[in-house]
């Protein structure tokens, strides 16, 4: 309705640092089994979530890189796209058939409301025998539990600078602030993360990120669902406004007409 309105200006933009993801604790059952994690990655219909739940305000992705960004890797992204037969195969190979686990969600929306998405994911996981108990928690307390690794899973939207390494290092780097959010221990991934800090040239960084994203896709310490879009609304009097990318608004060129 706002897009069709003549009384306001609107704009939307992909937030390159706007992760929409299911955070798994790989130290806790059933996610200490990579087969269960890969089953989740392959059973969730990201396109349906993006279109039916978020009305195209989410761009689907199976890896921690937004489509269209220079560090996005098509081969890694293809690895965990929707494939129900493959998801069932992973479950058959796992130690946890018919597992049950808790999924934390914010009791009040933080950036984007994920409650409806949680219910959809709950139904999709039931197709492979996984039972999800959705539990609401205040976001500040939820983040603290994630940081300490006192969770099994949590559905989250986080916003960060549109830079490729920041969130990956934060969640999957060695002894970082939210390393316990995944419990991920992988020397190869840690080495690749360190290598991303050695270069500024995208041509040199691209193959490093390709290997890193493939490593993460294969291990699936978290389940990446997509990247959110930032949106703004402004009155006709506002001139020169550019849609923000999720963290800050640029107002240096903004003026008021008349």
């Amino acid at each position: 309705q706002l897009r069709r309105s003549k009384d306001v200006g609107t704009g939307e933009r992909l937030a390159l640092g706007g992760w929409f993801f299911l955070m798994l604790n790989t130290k806790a059952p059933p996610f200490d089994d990579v087969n269960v994690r890969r089953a989740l990655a392959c059973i969730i219909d990201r396109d349906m979530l993006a279109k039916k739940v978020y009305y195209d305000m989410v761009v689907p992705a199976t890896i921690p890189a937004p489509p269209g960004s220079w560090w996005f890797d098509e081969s890694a992204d293809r690895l965990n796209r929707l494939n129900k037969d493959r998801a069932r195969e992973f479950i058959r190979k796992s130690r946890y058939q018919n597992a049950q686990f808790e999924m934390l969600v914010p009791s009040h929306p933080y950036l984007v409301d994920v409650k409806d998405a949680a219910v959809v994911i709950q139904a999709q996981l039931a197709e492979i025998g996984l039972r999800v108990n959705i539990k609401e928690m205040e976001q500040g307390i939820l983040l603290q539990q994630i940081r300490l690794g006192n969770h099994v899973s949590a559905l989250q939207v986080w916003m960060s600078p549109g830079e490729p390494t920041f969130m990956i290092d934060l969640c999957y780097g060695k002894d970082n602030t939210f390393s316990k959010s995944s419990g991920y221990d992988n020397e190869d991934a840690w080495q690749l993360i360190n290598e991303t800090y050695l270069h500024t040239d995208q041509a040199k960084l691209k193959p490093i990120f390709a290997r890193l994203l493939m490593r993460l896709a294969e291990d699936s310490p978290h389940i990446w669902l997509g990247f959110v879009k930032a949106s703004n609304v402004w009155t006709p009097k506002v001139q020169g406004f550019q849609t923000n990318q999720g963290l800050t608004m640029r107002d240096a060129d903004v003026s008021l007409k008349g």
Side-chain angles (χ1 to χ4, degrees):
Q1 291 178 339
L2 286 171
R3 288 189 185 117
R4 294 192 296 268
S5 175
K6 296 180 181 179
D7 298 325
V8 295
T10 64
E12 61 188 48
R13 182 181 178 187
L14 180 63
L16 298 181
W19 285 26
F20 176 33
F21 62 137
L22 179 57
M23 306 180 76
L24 309 179
N25 186 345
T26 65
K27 301 298 186 187
F31 301 122
D32 56 347
D33 187 332
V34 67
N35 290 300
V36 178
R37 304 197 301 268
R38 291 293 299 278
L40 261 69
C42 291
I43 197 65
I44 296 175
D45 189 340
R46 296 166 177 80
D47 289 336
M48 193 271 271
L49 286 172
K51 291 182 180 298
K52 301 297 185 180
V53 178
Y54 291 109
Y55 300 95
D56 294 319
M57 289 302 289
V58 168
V59 176
T62 73
I63 56 175
S69 66
W70 64 262
W71 63 96
F72 180 81
D73 187 76
E74 179 71 20
S75 296
D77 190 71
R78 279 199 304 267
L79 199 65
N80 290 325
R81 288 178 185 169
L82 179 64
N83 188 325
K84 294 184 179 182
D85 290 337
R86 197 152 183 250
R88 294 187 181 98
E89 180 184 345
F90 279 123
I91 283 294
R92 282 195 296 269
K93 292 191 298 184
S94 78
R95 304 192 304 274
Y96 301 103
Q97 281 82 34
N98 302 311
Q100 183 172 339
F101 66 92
E102 182 178 83
M103 180 194 297
L104 302 177
V105 299
S107 54
H108 298 285
Y110 173 71
L111 299 176
V112 175
D113 196 340
V114 301
K115 292 178 186 176
D116 288 344
V119 173
V120 172
I121 292 170
Q122 181 185 52
Q124 292 176 352
L125 297 188
E127 295 183 43
I128 54 174
L130 297 177
R131 292 170 292 165
V132 181
N133 298 321
I134 300 171
K135 180 179 179 179
E136 295 184 15
M137 184 177 289
E138 193 276 322
Q139 177 68 5
I141 298 173
L142 194 159
L143 285 174
Q144 181 74 348
Q145 294 303 302
I146 291 171
R147 187 181 67 82
L148 296 173
N150 294 335
H151 68 299
V152 178
S153 74
L155 189 60
Q156 291 278 279
V157 173
W158 284 10
M159 195 66 69
S160 70
E163 184 275 334
T165 305
F166 179 86
M167 284 279 284
I168 290 177
D169 194 1
L170 186 71
C171 292
Y172 317 120
K174 187 174 183 179
D175 299 326
N176 214 324
T177 308
F178 278 92
S179 295
K180 290 182 179 179
S181 74
S182 64
Y184 186 53
D185 296 322
N186 188 284
E187 293 286 349
D188 183 39
W190 293 340
Q191 178 61 37
L192 289 167
I193 289 170
N194 290 337
E195 287 183 29
T196 67
Y197 292 107
L198 301 179
H199 308 283
T200 57
D201 185 355
Q202 291 182 8
K204 293 180 179 179
L205 286 167
K206 178 69 174 174
I208 298 173
F209 275 103
R211 289 160 53 206
L212 175 56
L213 292 169
M214 184 61 77
R215 176 78 275 162
L216 291 172
E218 290 172 346
D219 291 342
S220 296
H222 288 159
I223 307 302
W224 305 281
L225 304 174
F227 285 74
V228 299
K229 293 181 180 179
S231 59
N232 297 119
V233 179
W234 57 90
T235 68
K237 288 186 177 181
V238 175
Q239 304 290 304
F241 179 77
Q242 296 181 5
T243 305
N244 78 88
Q245 201 183 77
L247 279 177
T248 59
M249 292 187 184
R250 177 181 169 82
D251 61 5
D253 301 320
V254 174
S255 62
L256 293 177
K257 183 173 66 175

